[in-house]
Amino acid sequence: MAERLTKWSVTTGTVIRHMHYGLRVQVPSGEIGVIDRVHIDDNYVNPASWPTIGSVITVVGAGYAGSQLRLSSRPSHLNEARARMAGGHDATTEAGTEDFGPNPGVHSS
């Protein structure tokens, strides 16, 4: 079993597939996660402009939905994760307390 990525952990990921709902991304541990289309960027990104398959992007762990790794590549989430690391926050003790929900101003039509 691959090592589980903790919430708010920043890492790289390789885009392995485009899906109608977002991106499938493989992180260095080998685990495959999903970036929902509303978590690709802080603003709407047309699917034609999503990162290409094979590209390496910076992602942050957004927790798990069952056994499915959820990721985000939103700059605001990456900045929050980096601020938490710099501030000495322990992501494992706060994993369930923060919202990775979609930005209400972003619509994924």
Side-chain angles (χ1 to χ4, degrees), residues 4-25:
R4 290 175 62 105
L5 186 69
T6 59
K7 192 167 185 178
W8 297 109
S9 295
V10 176
T11 190
T12 58
T14 303
V15 177
I16 59 171
R17 190 164 182 196
H18 289 185
M19 307 295 288
H20 69 279
Y21 52 80
L23 305 172
R24 304 262 307 159
V25 176

Side-chain angles (χ1 to χ4, degrees), residues 45-78:
V45 178
N46 185 304
S49 298
W50 287 354
T52 58
I53 295 172
S55 62
V56 177
I57 60 175
T58 303
V59 297
V60 60
Y64 288 81
S67 62
Q68 177 65 64
L69 172 62
R70 309 300 285 187
L71 301 166
S72 174
S73 58
R74 282 180 158 197
S76 61
H77 289 161
L78 293 167

